[in-house]
Amino acid sequence: MSQVKGGPRNDAGRPRSARRNRAGRPSAALALPGVLFFAFFALAPMVLAFYLSFTRWNGLGDPQPAGLANWRKLLSDDRLTQSLTVTVGLTVVSWAFQTVISLLLGVWAAGRQRNRAVLSAIFFVPFLLSSTAISLLFYALLDPNFGIIHKDTLGTTSGAFLAIVFVGGWQFIPFHTLIYQGGARQIPEVLYQAAAIDGAGRLRQFFSITLPQLRNTATTSGVLMVVGSLTYFETVLILTQGGPGTDTAILPYLMYEAGFKSYDFGYASAVASFLVLAATALSLLMVKLSGFGAMRSTREGM
Amino acid sequence: MESYSRRWFLGAGTAALASAGGLTACGSGGGSGADGTLTAFVYGDDAAKIQVKSVNRFNASAAAKKAKGTIKLQKVPATDYPAKLRTAMGSPNAPDVFFNWGGGSIKAYREAGQLVDLTDVITSDSVLKSGFLPSVLASGGLDGKNYGVPMRGMQPVILFYNKTVFEENKLQPPTTWDQLLDINTKLKKAGITPFALGGADIWPELMWLEYLVDRIGGPQVFEKIKNGDATAWGDPAVLKAAQTVKELIDDGAFGKGYSSVGYGNGGAPAVFAKGKAAMHLMGSWEYSTQLGKFPDFAKKNLGWCAFPQIEGGAGDIRNVVGNPTNYWSVNARTSNKDAAIAFLRDSASLAYTKELIANGDVPATSNAATLLDASPNPEFAKFQYQMVQQAPAFTLSWDQAVDPDVSTPMLTEVNKLFVGKSSPTQFVSALKELK
């Protein structure tokens, strides 16, 4: 197709000089600050939390070895099962809610309509606010006496759940819209031109070109959403405190409550370690199932 | 110094856990410096201005020079206070002097050997010994030993009512439970919610159970629980109290939506001040909250009375629940115990007492009674002072009296009862399971 411009470049034909390779690659030392920061602020605390999960520690004095007690307690804790159910539910519903809206908005924002740039900038504003500020704002808006809805929204299980999904979406949809916008802009115009010649309408173009072309974008955004939902915290803390009862007590909230309300840091660390393991496993699984790891190009054959 | 570096490392880990939870619990308190500066942690609400003045007064005093130490006050944002204190106390940046609620809130620190036993200091010091109401002073300790010196106003839980609403509906404040139920019926007919309740914060819900258990079974029921006897949750008075709560809820006594109304964000006080609800069971600080948010209401329409008696119940109507006051305690690892103790003596001073009174608080000092005329509302101040002074029993708020690992699940169970997620029977059996 693109033979006119000289055909696809063939890397195999290039001279592969070792010297050139060394010159073109940045020195490993440049990565050192990043690696150190990661080791100190991410790896070390993670290892420490894992160690603490085998101890009994109330925050004072030295931790006492506790063997597998915390892990046994975790696996037999009714609240873990409940928490997992809520976490999974929240993740799935948030993912569906955010994906549909940010996909549509992103594709729209990638176009060339009038005022598009201004509106896109406005859409992006919620993402710039802190989750705490957003949660406090919605907490006030949802007050049954002085808010916008005169109902006991946060006091009912479904109301509290939907409020968390909505507030989370309100905050993060702008970010995912941006990702989808970037993805949609990468789709070559020729595909749409060809489709138009073949007589495909806008809807057909969306489902047959836009959606398949956004596959990798959807995986990236999806993994971010899922891992993000797993570590969701401020919104729950401020809006519902895990309530009513324990109906919105997601895993990170369970961890916070065990650590900073009950001062049972051993158990909190077990919950934290479990969360790290679950999140890692889940994101690996998602990447694997979606074929994202293979990084096949959506432009194959073009 | 090996244990130090280990502690530091653990502190860093806790801070990392905290930041993972979006909390900034990392201690930046500085600890005691070589220049003789001691750090004091205080709960950072509006009332902390009195502690600011106290610190300034102490630092300029002869006592500070003599003890070769000055105090640096650190105001910790209110909701983070217990978590921040715990994290700091486990690190080398621990405060030398710290604010607390006595009882269960300091138990872990005593077990870790981090509290200075103030019993001898207090008994040998006339200013401290006779400066405070004995019962309040005793509540700052554990097992008959003193670990704290009172430093704020008394905080009994009081039944507040809206005088205008009561007058318009020709009602009298209730002294018995039947009267209370009768008032509820009349208020509901008039379309007014009987009680404001900040259920989103849970602890306002707990106040109802504290008073109901006291009035039905007497103060000894919770006394047993506090002393570690979890089976005492099985006392019939607890079940009866939970059933009474359930009846109130079903009856619409708290209206609809109470479980998404907060106290801390001003929700429940506004419902009450605007006449949407006629009564509010709340700590004495309700007065200063209203004075700040709705001054006209606080000055003209705010009424108060004791929690009513329950017919056939074992508890005296004069019994009080709430927080006797807050306390200063001293960290056993302080570099200058003399200076810390010299600073505590300022809390018993006349100047300190007068400042508390001017702020609308009722100090736990023994000279307070004669000074209450200077209060912004002497009538309310005297009511409160006498209420505490004459109380046969003062039960510390349950969530402060028991260990934090019991109080957290306890509050969750209270919330479940109030939102209808568990029945009174389920409530009792869940509480009996708590360690």
Side-chain angles (χ1 to χ4, degrees), chain A residues 40-41 44-45 48-49 51-52 57-63 73 79 139-140 142-146 150-157 231 233-234 237 239-241 243-247 255-258 260-265 268-269 272, chain B residues 3 6-14 16-18 20-23 25 82-83 86-87 89-91 108-109 112 114 200-202 256-262 265-267 270-271 274 276 404-405 407-409 412 415-416 419 421 435:
Chain A
F40 191 74
F41 290 107
L48 190 69
Y51 158 71
L52 279 180
W57 191 43
N58 68 2
L60 304 170
D62 292 329
K73 184 182 163 193
R79 292 192 62 187
Y139 186 62
L142 291 170
D143 186 291
N145 291 292
F146 308 106
H150 293 268
K151 276 195 167 158
D152 185 16
T153 317
L154 297 172
T156 63
T157 307
T231 54
F233 176 72
E234 300 97 308
L237 177 74
L239 283 184
T240 68
Q241 293 188 58
T246 51
D247 288 354
M255 173 189 91
Y256 164 80
E257 206 177 63
F260 293 101
K261 283 185 158 178
S262 297
Y263 305 121
D264 188 349
F265 288 102
S269 300
Chain B
S3 76
R6 233 173 115 188
R7 276 215 188 92
W8 177 86
F9 195 55
L10 287 167
T14 322
L17 242 180
L23 235 182
R86 178 60 66 101
T87 321
M89 288 294 276
S91 81
Y109 299 118
Q114 294 194 322
D201 287 332
I202 310 180
K256 282 176 195 149
Y258 59 88
S259 49
S260 29
V261 176
N265 69 345
V271 170
K274 295 193 172 175
K276 290 188 176 204
D405 57 343
S407 80
T408 310
T412 305
N415 183 235
K416 278 161 107 175
V419 296
K421 296 271 162 198
K435 298 173 273 175

